[in-house]
């Protein structure tokens, strides 16, 4: 669980610098349509997506306070990385912490796709079943990913603002009707948002949004707004789709631990409910060894650069860890129901 600031700093540098160079290269080669752009654009695009995966994994480590030794440094670096990914880090990390706390407890946490139970699914009408399956089709990860990263936080911020405004206005009007002088600041301070759990989440979302809008404006003005948005939507949609897909298969795989509240075990959820994804070394680098997900769930304070060593040092204790191979991944996406009778994840029938 020991953090090493030198390793962490080097990981940030060897991720963000190449990512910035590739982004510049992609924008440069897509200004014209010729042989160079046809060859180089896909090359830069793939590299950007892979480096974005690594960057998100590093931001994720910051949220667990494991990448750097200092909590303040982790928060600062996570905020900077969140601008790259578009999603405010603080609200995301709080939700992710809930996932860690209850992984494998399908009474409390239904995964990123909010799976329903087999009984609830079978009670649906045929068109409702079809719509449920449609929303959980792998191809929906692309528009869904862009919504998750870019649109959802901004929608929450707008709706949260209007909710606060109208609720506060109603309370002010009520106080005046009673002949009292309303304390507007106190009313706003005591407002319980339906979209944010803490004031810190609101501030983080506002700061992230402000920085993001500034980046969009200045980059768009530099290379052309249509040019920028075409590249940005493609990159962010693909990056988010890959990120969510990796997260999904790390917990929704054949034989994955799926318990109810009564018999749930945190350790079984970590060891048997988190996959050990078998990938080439180069992909492990681009995902910051998140494939060692069972170790990560045993203790989220272990930095990504120690997961591999921790796994190999404790092989004799990890017999119940299930390897997940790349050719098995398509079968994972069919597991979109929780059978709360037999305590297993199952495909959805027609």
């Amino acid at each position: 669980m020991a953090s090493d600031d030198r390793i962490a700093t080097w990981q940030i540098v060897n991720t963000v610098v190449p990512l910035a160079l590739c982004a510049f290269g992609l924008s440069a080669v897509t200004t014209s349509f010729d042989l160079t752009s046809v060859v180089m654009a896909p090359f830069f695009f793939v590299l950007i997506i892979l480096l974005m995966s690594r960057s998100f994994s590093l931001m994720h480590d910051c949220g667990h306070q494991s990448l750097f030794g200092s909590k303040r440094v982790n928060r600062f670096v996570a905020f900077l990385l969140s601008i790259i990914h578009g999603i405010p880090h603080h609200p995301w990390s709080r939700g992710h912490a809930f996932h860690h706390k209850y992984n494998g407890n399908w009474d409390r946490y239904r995964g990123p796709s909010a799976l329903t139970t087999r009984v609830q699914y079978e009670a649906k009408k045929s068109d409702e079943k079809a719509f449920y399956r449609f929303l959980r089709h792998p191809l929906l990860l692309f528009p869904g990913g862009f919504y998750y990263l870019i649109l959802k936080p901004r929608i929450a911020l707008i709706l949260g603002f209007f909710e606060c405004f109208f609720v506060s206005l109603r309370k002010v009007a009520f106080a005046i009707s009673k002949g009292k002088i309303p304390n507007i600041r106190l009313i706003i301070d005591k407002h319980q948002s339906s979209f944010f759990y803490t004031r810190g989440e609101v501030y983080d979302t506002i700061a992230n949004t402000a920085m993001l809008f500034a980046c969009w404006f200045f980059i768009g003005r530099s290379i052309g707004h249509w040019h920028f948005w075409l590249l940005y939507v493609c990159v962010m949609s693909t990056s988010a789709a890959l990120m969510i897909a990796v997260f999904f298969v790390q917990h929704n795989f054949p034989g994955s631990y799926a318990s109810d509240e009564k018999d749930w075990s945190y350790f079984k959820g970590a060891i048997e409910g988190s996959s050990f994804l078998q990938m080439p070394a180069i992909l492990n680098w681009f995902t910051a060894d998140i494939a060692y997900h069972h170790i990560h769930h045993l203790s989220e304070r272990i930095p990504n650069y120690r997961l591999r060593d921790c796994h190999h040092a404790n092989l004799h204790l990890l017999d119940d860890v299930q390897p997940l191979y790349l050719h098995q991944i398509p079968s994972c996406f069919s597991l979109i129901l929780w059978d709360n009778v037999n305590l297993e994840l199952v495909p959805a029938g027609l």
Side-chain angles (χ1 to χ4, degrees):
M1 291 168 59
S3 300
D4 189 320
D5 288 353
R6 294 170 302 174
I7 297 175
T9 301
W10 174 235
Q11 285 192 319
I12 296 296
V13 170
N14 67 28
T15 302
V16 175
V17 172
L19 180 56
L21 292 174
C22 287
F24 179 81
L26 181 63
S27 67
V29 300
T30 51
T31 55
S32 60
F33 186 77
D34 52 26
L35 182 60
T36 301
S37 63
V38 170
V39 173
M40 296 304 296
F43 172 76
F44 282 127
F45 183 82
V46 170
L47 268 182
I48 288 172
I49 299 306
L50 292 172
L51 287 166
M52 291 276 282
S53 299
R54 179 171 171 83
S55 172
F56 196 94
S57 291
L58 298 182
M59 184 182 77
H60 154 267
D61 267 24
C62 289
H64 289 300
Q65 308 301 325
S66 64
L67 191 66
F68 292 90
S70 164
K71 182 177 181 179
R72 181 174 296 180
V73 173
N74 278 311
R75 286 290 299 272
F76 177 72
V77 173
F79 175 77
L80 295 180
L81 294 176
S82 75
I83 299 169
I84 294 174
H85 298 283
I87 189 168
H89 174 261
H90 186 49
W92 178 85
S93 65
R94 282 178 57 86
H96 185 68
F98 184 87
H99 154 67
H100 268 263
K101 187 175 182 180
Y102 295 110
N103 182 52
N105 182 343
W106 286 80
D107 272 338
R108 285 184 178 253
Y109 180 75
R110 300 288 181 85
S113 299
L115 303 188
T116 190
T117 66
R118 171 184 268 176
V119 173
Q120 291 169 332
Y121 175 79
E122 291 176 348
K124 294 178 181 290
K125 298 177 181 177
S126 58
D127 57 336
E128 293 174 333
K129 290 181 180 179
F131 187 60
Y132 177 87
R133 295 193 305 272
F134 170 76
L135 289 180
R136 286 152 185 83
H137 192 280
L139 288 179
L140 264 292
L141 288 173
F142 290 90
F146 187 83
Y147 169 79
Y148 177 73
L149 286 184
I150 306 301
L151 300 179
K152 184 180 178 181
R154 266 42 78 177
I155 292 173
L157 191 62
I158 294 170
L159 293 179
F161 170 79
F162 280 109
E163 178 192 51
C164 180
F165 176 78
F166 287 113
V167 169
S168 298
L169 190 65
R170 188 174 69 247
K171 290 182 178 180
V172 167
F174 179 77
I176 293 174
S177 70
K178 295 294 183 180
K180 299 178 181 179
I181 300 176
N183 187 332
I184 298 176
R185 181 175 180 179
L186 184 62
I187 289 173
I188 294 175
D189 283 346
K190 288 188 174 182
H191 172 67
Q192 296 294 318
S193 175
S194 302
F195 303 93
F196 299 95
Y197 291 104
T198 67
R199 190 177 303 175
E201 292 185 15
V202 179
Y203 294 156
D204 190 73
T205 303
I206 292 173
N208 174 272
T209 300
M211 292 294 292
L212 206 58
F213 279 18
C215 290
W216 291 347
F217 175 76
F218 287 112
I219 298 174
R221 191 170 69 172
S222 174
I223 69 172
H225 291 288
W226 281 105
H227 185 191
F228 165 71
W229 278 104
L230 178 61
L231 295 179
Y232 190 72
V233 170
C234 291
V235 166
M236 299 307 292
S237 298
T238 307
S239 171
L242 179 61
M243 173 194 73
I244 296 171
V246 170
F247 180 82
F248 184 88
V249 303
Q250 286 177 323
H251 299 290
N252 294 53
F253 55 88
S256 175
Y257 177 77
S259 176
D260 54 14
E261 175 78 21
K262 178 182 176 183
D263 299 316
W264 175 69
S265 162
Y266 175 89
F267 293 101
K268 281 183 175 290
I271 293 295
E272 300 175 25
S274 304
S275 67
F276 177 25
L277 193 54
Q278 305 295 296
M279 297 193 297
I282 185 65
L283 290 183
N284 277 329
W285 186 88
F286 277 115
T287 54
D289 277 340
I290 201 62
Y292 295 88
H293 213 56
H294 51 295
I295 301 296
H296 173 61
H297 266 270
L298 277 173
S299 175
E300 63 268 21
R301 291 300 299 275
I302 299 173
N304 73 86
Y305 42 82
R306 303 206 190 280
L307 293 175
R308 183 195 306 265
D309 290 342
C310 189
H311 169 84
H312 288 294
N314 295 280
L315 280 174
H316 59 292
L317 300 173
L318 300 173
D319 291 339
D320 292 329
V321 173
Q322 183 168 336
L324 181 65
Y325 297 92
L326 294 179
H327 71 269
Q328 295 177 294
I329 288 179
S331 65
C332 297
F333 290 107
S334 67
L335 302 175
I336 57 174
L337 293 178
W338 176 45
D339 187 337
N340 59 344
V341 176
N342 298 309
L343 300 182
E344 60 181 348
L345 300 179
V346 295
L350 299 178

